Amino acid sequence: MSWDKLTVEQQQQVEHQLSILKRGAAEIVPEEALKMKIMKAVVTGKPLKVKLGLDPSAPDIHIGHTVVLHKLRQFQDLGHEVQLIIGDFTGRIGDPTGKSETRKQLSEEDVKHNAQTYQTQLGKVLDLNKTSFYYNSTWLGELRFDDVLRLAGKVTVARMLERDDFAKRYATNQAIHVHEFFYPLMQGYDSVSLESDIELGGTDQTFNILMGRTLQGAYEMKESQVAILMPLLEGLDGVQKMSKSLRNYIGIDEHPNDIFGKTMSIPDTLMLKYYELTTALPNTEIEELRHGLEAGTIHPRDAKIKLAKGYVKMYHGAIAAEEAEQHFITVFQKRALPDEIEEVSLEGGHLEDGSLSIIRLLVSLSLQASNGEARRSVEQGAVKLNEMKVTDIHAQIKPVDGDILQVGKRKFVKIKLV
Amino acid sequence: MSWDKLTVEQQQQVEHQLSILKRGAAEIVPEEALKMKIMKAVVTGKPLKVKLGLDPSAPDIHIGHTVVLHKLRQFQDLGHEVQLIIGDFTGRIGDPTGKSETRKQLSEEDVKHNAQTYQTQLGKVLDLNKTSFYYNSTWLGELRFDDVLRLAGKVTVARMLERDDFAKRYATNQAIHVHEFFYPLMQGYDSVSLESDIELGGTDQTFNILMGRTLQGAYEMKESQVAILMPLLEGLDGVQKMSKSLRNYIGIDEHPNDIFGKTMSIPDTLMLKYYELTTALPNTEIEELRHGLEAGTIHPRDAKIKLAKGYVKMYHGAIAAEEAEQHFITVFQKRALPDEIEEVSLEGGHLEDGSLSIIRLLVSLSLQASNGEARRSVEQGAVKLNEMKVTDIHAQIKPVDGDILQVGKRKFVKIKLV
């Protein structure tokens, strides 16, 4: 298909789609093929099939995950189709070596339950009417040994050992079990099975997504998929990739006040990146923001409030967004206690002399999940009793009715002895 | 099981079996486990299951192959059971990369036909009544993707790359396709499936056979198989491993005169090794031979005639053995032409001036399979017409009735013009 054969209107449409779809992408491999595919879609009216693979383990989506979801949504808004693949086949197998505790075998019910949660959470960003869900056990579960050998015959060991983590482990004599080679092969075979035109993923998925490209070629599909690789979003610390394990994340199911407060804590320098990658704000408005911030006509705090409010609105609705903003202004900007503090009952009867350690108090009131967490909060100066810091982890407290205990900037309780 | 608990008779039996089974073995891994297994078999009366894997491609057994077969026969004579596994699963897959012409996909009929040929040929050494044949497609063909992943999860990539040929290819950047890792895994899984006690093979099979040991352990079998590794027999040149491609072999289906003649051509230094590894001659008689040869009371030629006659007897019967010996004595020892030379018809009518090239003559009379082969024989001085060497490949011959054409030491025809 040649550019010159397109009408001017078609050419404009292609340019329009590309300007949206390229936004924020770290890499598109190969970029020319993306253009060809979009030209074809525009001319034929046939939507592209855009694939994303999902981990079948318990989903708990944070803003970092929404980077690829927003990209998918852009495809949907431009009329394309989204294929979401739940990797239940892998999940059902668990860890064949039996050595890893983290990769537990998931039951079919686990997988179904998790898929349900995905639908609920992803529906906040995606248009579910234009989204097809697939379980890859549907096709992978049917493969027999000879099919598997044929699949494995498409790739060399050397190519596999080029994958970053394999290369590092092989170089440092850490075990790589042979079955691990099949994870990229399975992901790639999904693309063969669904004839995907495009696969999305973070830059850490480059190897696996390009494997799909290789395998589609090896299985003699006419065209191979294009990889759109999105940057990994830095978390609240502004340095490390946003992740649950690093505790630098904003979960979309978190309390609106937490989403709002956490968003306000991201470094100013990252704000535009967050806008670009994790909101639906049009390119033009992002450019206005950028210019306003550079010219000093927009205060970074206001831009961040807009971002925070946008997140709460997207994930919890407009009313929650207003309330969260109000809460934030009351607590942080007016530096006062919030209007309404939750009253929590504390059984005073079983305290020997009416006192207990600050650690036990924090845990008893469910302000902290564990003794360890409570200790760290105290040590870091995050705990206040009636607006006075408590920094001694051995401090003994004699709570009285109406005491206000605070952890960090956003957690408050009023004690009621019962 | 403890040695001291055995009766003296049982102990003698174990020692007796070990003295036979260890004969000629290059390595037994682990040797102590072989003793334990035999002790158990002697005490319980339960025979050991001794496995040998067979290539499913067209069998054409030569004396080199019979090294492991004679070892199996020793096991049978001691009351144990032999498991012969035809690797049809591998054969039916062919080469998944489609790049190798040598590993063609075998049809089910090919496989069955080859298995039949195996039975006929192996029956010359083995006791087929104590031999079970298996096709490994029976169990391997039933495995699904998740089973295959479980299998692959038992072994690391580093271990696989320790296999000699993989190591060399990896080091020199020659492609190893991922499916190739499954050949040792499949062979090992055969041992799991059949609960083999012992696996036999040449020393070039060490990696694959030890994989069976590993996998039996990984699949939690109580005991793992013992590897009995036999030396690779040098061929007629006395240096290289006997093989078809090196043309230094004695095929068991070859003409008795060829078997006899080829055997007479092996270096004297290898004779005792041939006796030890490829005949059923008892240890005591081999020792007598050794002493006789060392003391000079036995002439090497006589020992070799005995060996040659033994081969022909084993593979073609006693009468053929007598005839082959007679033929040998007539042709080589008396340096005369044999009594009876086959008369072959040659159409003289279509020769322009009654002559044709020596090359065409050799091929027309089926003394040589191709022009190339014929040329080489002439160049090497192996061709004689009426006992005169023909060394010019362009020589034009006018054959007359009764001409005797000879190639090498053993091929003669008498020409009859028609």
Side-chain angles (χ1 to χ4, degrees):
Chain A
M1 187 162 299
S2 148
W3 181 249
D4 305 332
K5 298 272 167 71
L6 270 63
T7 65
V8 173
E9 201 192 332
Q10 286 173 333
Q11 290 180 350
Q12 282 170 347
Q13 254 195 68
V14 173
E15 297 288 12
H16 171 65
Q17 294 204 13
L18 283 174
S19 74
I20 291 172
L21 296 174
K22 283 184 186 173
R23 161 170 157 184
E27 207 178 350
I28 298 174
V29 189
E31 200 167 322
E32 196 47 38
L34 177 63
K35 189 174 177 183
M36 288 298 290
K37 280 181 186 279
I38 289 174
M39 277 164 62
K40 209 163 152 186
V42 164
V43 171
T44 63
K46 213 180 139 204
L48 296 176
K49 289 179 270 187
V50 188
K51 173 196 167 195
L52 177 72
L54 300 173
D55 186 328
S57 56
D60 195 353
I61 291 179
H62 58 59
I63 294 293
H65 296 125
T66 68
V67 174
V68 283
L69 299 178
H70 279 281
K71 185 56 67 188
L72 288 179
R73 177 64 196 236
Q74 291 168 355
F75 272 101
Q76 290 183 323
D77 289 343
L78 294 169
H80 301 293
E81 284 171 10
V82 165
Q83 306 174 318
L84 289 184
I85 296 161
I86 295 175
D88 68 326
F89 184 72
T90 324
R92 256 196 239 148
I93 292 156
D95 174 27
T97 65
K99 280 177 192 157
S100 158
E101 290 205 11
T102 52
R103 192 183 272 286
K104 266 189 256 159
Q105 192 175 341
L106 297 176
S107 68
E108 277 193 51
E109 278 137 72
D110 293 338
V111 168
K112 277 197 184 139
H113 176 261
N114 293 344
Q116 201 56 52
T117 313
Y118 263 127
Q119 295 226 6
T120 314
Q121 294 197 346
L122 298 183
K124 304 250 169 90
V125 180
L126 297 180
D127 178 349
L128 292 184
N129 291 322
K130 293 178 186 164
T131 306
S132 305
F133 280 84
Y134 299 91
Y135 293 96
N136 69 358
S137 61
T138 315
W139 47 86
L140 294 178
E142 292 305 308
L143 296 188
R144 303 181 80 94
F145 202 166
D146 47 354
D147 303 311
V148 175
L149 288 170
R150 224 162 280 127
L151 175 59
K154 308 291 188 197
V155 191
T156 66
V157 173
R159 163 99 189 260
M160 282 292 175
L161 288 177
E162 281 168 12
R163 201 175 87 166
D164 270 359
D165 58 332
F166 289 155
K168 272 179 210 146
R169 283 158 64 193
Y170 190 67
T172 57
N173 294 318
Q174 285 178 278
I176 304 164
H177 286 83
V178 174
H179 74 278
E180 298 184 67
F181 280 0
F182 281 95
Y183 293 96
L185 288 174
M186 290 192 268
Q187 184 170 339
Y189 192 80
D190 291 345
S191 297
V192 173
S193 196
L194 290 178
E195 303 187 330
S196 309
D197 291 302
I198 287 166
E199 181 165 353
L200 287 192
T203 48
D204 54 350
Q205 284 290 309
T206 306
F207 183 91
N208 295 345
I209 294 179
L210 292 180
M211 185 56 72
R213 228 179 116 66
T214 301
L215 290 182
Q216 286 181 329
Y219 279 93
E220 295 176 4
M221 280 180 51
K222 266 194 199 154
E223 283 182 36
S224 289
Q225 67 181 19
V226 171
I228 298 189
L229 303 163
M230 300 303 293
L232 302 175
L233 190 69
E234 292 86 350
L236 303 179
D237 54 4
V239 179
Q240 305 245 48
K241 171 189 167 186
M242 186 180 283
S243 81
K244 287 200 76 178
S245 55
L246 293 172
R247 297 168 157 265
N248 62 352
Y249 68 102
I250 307 171
I252 71 170
D253 268 357
E254 287 193 84
H255 190 280
N257 292 348
D258 289 325
I259 293 180
F260 202 103
K262 284 184 175 186
T263 305
M264 294 309 291
S265 79
I266 64 170
D268 289 356
T269 48
L270 276 178
M271 207 183 354
L272 280 166
K273 189 170 183 185
Y274 272 60
Y275 264 109
E276 185 173 63
L277 295 174
T278 67
T279 74
L281 207 67
N283 288 351
T284 48
E285 292 186 37
I286 290 180
E287 281 315 301
E288 278 171 30
L289 251 179
R290 186 190 310 279
H291 291 137
L293 287 164
E294 278 170 10
T297 55
I298 299 175
H299 193 286
R301 191 198 50 230
D302 295 334
K304 227 184 277 179
I305 285 179
K306 189 180 168 182
L307 181 66
K309 217 170 151 184
Y311 284 152
V312 180
K313 188 176 170 195
M314 181 173 301
Y315 300 115
H316 295 275
I319 296 169
E322 289 298 338
E323 286 175 358
E325 183 181 12
Q326 212 47 56
H327 173 86
F328 179 79
I329 290 167
T330 311
V331 177
F332 300 98
Q333 292 199 304
K334 295 190 182 158
R335 302 245 162 240
L337 294 178
D339 285 347
E340 287 178 22
I341 297 181
E342 193 188 356
E343 211 171 49
V344 175
S345 302
L346 182 71
E347 282 190 28
H350 67 280
L351 305 175
E352 289 207 355
D353 61 349
S355 81
L356 76 173
S357 78
I358 183 69
I359 305 303
R360 272 193 65 195
L361 186 60
L362 287 165
V363 176
S364 302
L365 295 171
S366 301
L367 279 164
Q368 301 279 256
S370 68
N371 289 344
E373 199 177 309
R375 251 195 310 273
R376 276 192 297 280
S377 294
V378 172
E379 283 166 350
Q380 288 161 9
V383 174
K384 287 184 190 168
L385 182 62
N386 299 325
E387 301 198 73
M388 297 279 284
K389 273 193 187 170
V390 182
T391 52
D392 178 5
I393 59 167
H394 302 295
Q396 289 289 313
I397 311 291
K398 276 194 192 185
V400 295
D401 259 353
D403 272 352
I404 290 174
L405 193 62
Q406 178 181 359
V407 179
K409 291 180 181 167
R410 293 182 295 282
K411 284 187 192 164
F412 300 88
V413 293
K414 192 182 275 178
I415 296 173
K416 184 176 171 62
L417 287 176
V418 291
Chain B
M1 187 164 296
S2 148
W3 182 249
D4 304 332
K5 299 272 167 69
L6 271 62
T7 64
V8 173
E9 200 192 331
Q10 286 172 333
Q11 289 180 349
Q12 282 170 346
Q13 255 195 67
V14 173
E15 297 287 11
H16 171 67
Q17 293 205 14
L18 282 174
S19 75
I20 291 172
L21 296 174
K22 283 185 187 173
R23 159 171 158 183
E27 207 179 350
I28 297 172
V29 189
E31 200 166 322
E32 195 47 38
L34 176 64
K35 189 173 178 183
M36 287 299 290
K37 280 181 187 279
I38 288 172
M39 278 166 61
K40 210 164 151 186
V42 164
V43 171
T44 63
K46 214 182 139 205
L48 296 176
K49 290 179 270 189
V50 188
K51 173 197 167 196
L52 177 72
L54 300 173
D55 186 326
S57 55
D60 195 354
I61 292 180
H62 58 59
I63 293 293
H65 297 126
T66 68
V67 173
V68 284
L69 299 179
H70 279 281
K71 184 57 65 186
L72 287 179
R73 178 62 197 237
Q74 291 168 354
F75 272 101
Q76 290 183 324
D77 290 343
L78 295 168
H80 302 292
E81 285 170 12
V82 165
Q83 306 173 319
L84 289 184
I85 296 163
I86 295 176
D88 68 325
F89 185 73
T90 322
R92 257 195 240 150
I93 291 156
D95 174 26
T97 66
K99 280 176 191 156
S100 157
E101 290 204 14
T102 53
R103 191 183 271 286
K104 268 189 254 157
Q105 192 175 340
L106 298 175
S107 68
E108 275 192 53
E109 278 137 73
D110 292 339
V111 169
K112 276 197 183 137
H113 176 261
N114 293 343
Q116 201 55 51
T117 314
Y118 264 126
Q119 295 225 4
T120 315
Q121 295 197 346
L122 299 183
K124 305 253 170 87
V125 180
L126 296 181
D127 178 348
L128 292 184
N129 291 322
K130 293 179 187 164
T131 306
S132 306
F133 280 84
Y134 301 91
Y135 294 95
N136 69 358
S137 61
T138 315
W139 46 88
L140 294 178
E142 292 305 308
L143 295 189
R144 304 180 78 95
F145 202 167
D146 48 352
D147 303 311
V148 176
L149 287 170
R150 223 163 282 128
L151 174 59
K154 309 291 190 197
V155 192
T156 66
V157 172
R159 164 100 189 259
M160 282 293 174
L161 289 177
E162 280 167 14
R163 201 173 87 164
D164 270 359
D165 57 333
F166 289 155
K168 273 180 208 144
R169 283 158 65 194
Y170 191 68
T172 56
N173 294 319
Q174 286 178 277
I176 304 163
H177 286 83
V178 174
H179 75 278
E180 297 184 66
F181 280 0
F182 281 94
Y183 293 95
L185 287 173
M186 290 191 270
Q187 184 169 339
Y189 192 80
D190 291 346
S191 296
V192 172
S193 195
L194 289 178
E195 302 186 331
S196 309
D197 291 303
I198 287 166
E199 181 165 354
L200 286 192
T203 47
D204 54 350
Q205 285 290 308
T206 306
F207 182 92
N208 294 345
I209 294 178
L210 292 180
M211 185 57 71
R213 230 180 115 68
T214 300
L215 289 183
Q216 286 180 329
Y219 280 92
E220 294 175 6
M221 280 178 52
K222 265 192 199 156
E223 282 183 35
S224 288
Q225 68 181 18
V226 172
I228 298 189
L229 303 163
M230 299 304 292
L232 303 174
L233 190 70
E234 292 87 350
L236 302 180
D237 54 2
V239 179
Q240 305 248 48
K241 170 189 169 189
M242 184 180 284
S243 82
K244 286 200 78 178
S245 55
L246 293 172
R247 295 165 157 269
N248 62 353
Y249 68 102
I250 307 169
I252 70 170
D253 268 358
E254 286 193 85
H255 190 280
N257 292 347
D258 289 324
I259 293 180
F260 202 104
K262 284 185 175 185
T263 305
M264 293 309 292
S265 78
I266 63 170
D268 289 355
T269 48
L270 276 178
M271 209 184 351
L272 281 167
K273 188 169 183 187
Y274 272 60
Y275 265 110
E276 183 173 64
L277 295 174
T278 66
T279 75
L281 207 67
N283 288 352
T284 48
E285 293 186 34
I286 290 180
E287 281 316 300
E288 277 171 29
L289 251 180
R290 187 190 310 277
H291 292 137
L293 287 165
E294 279 169 8
T297 55
I298 299 176
H299 193 286
R301 190 198 52 231
D302 295 334
K304 226 185 278 179
I305 287 179
K306 187 178 168 185
L307 181 66
K309 216 171 152 182
Y311 285 151
V312 179
K313 187 175 169 195
M314 180 174 300
Y315 301 116
H316 297 274
I319 296 168
E322 288 299 337
E323 286 175 357
E325 182 181 12
Q326 212 46 57
H327 172 87
F328 179 80
I329 290 167
T330 310
V331 178
F332 300 98
Q333 293 200 304
K334 296 189 181 161
R335 304 243 163 241
L337 294 178
D339 284 347
E340 286 178 21
I341 298 181
E342 194 190 358
E343 210 170 51
V344 176
S345 302
L346 181 71
E347 282 190 27
H350 67 280
L351 304 174
E352 289 205 354
D353 61 351
S355 81
L356 76 176
S357 79
I358 183 69
I359 305 302
R360 272 192 65 196
L361 186 63
L362 288 165
V363 175
S364 302
L365 295 170
S366 302
L367 278 164
Q368 300 280 257
S370 68
N371 289 345
E373 201 177 307
R375 251 194 311 273
R376 277 192 295 279
S377 295
V378 172
E379 284 167 350
Q380 289 162 9
V383 175
K384 287 184 189 168
L385 182 63
N386 299 325
E387 301 200 72
M388 298 279 283
K389 271 193 190 171
V390 182
T391 52
D392 177 6
I393 58 167
H394 303 294
Q396 289 289 315
I397 311 290
K398 276 193 195 185
V400 294
D401 260 351
D403 273 352
I404 289 173
L405 192 62
Q406 177 179 358
V407 178
K409 292 181 179 166
R410 292 183 293 281
K411 286 186 192 166
F412 301 88
V413 293
K414 190 182 278 179
I415 293 173
K416 184 177 173 61
L417 288 177
V418 291

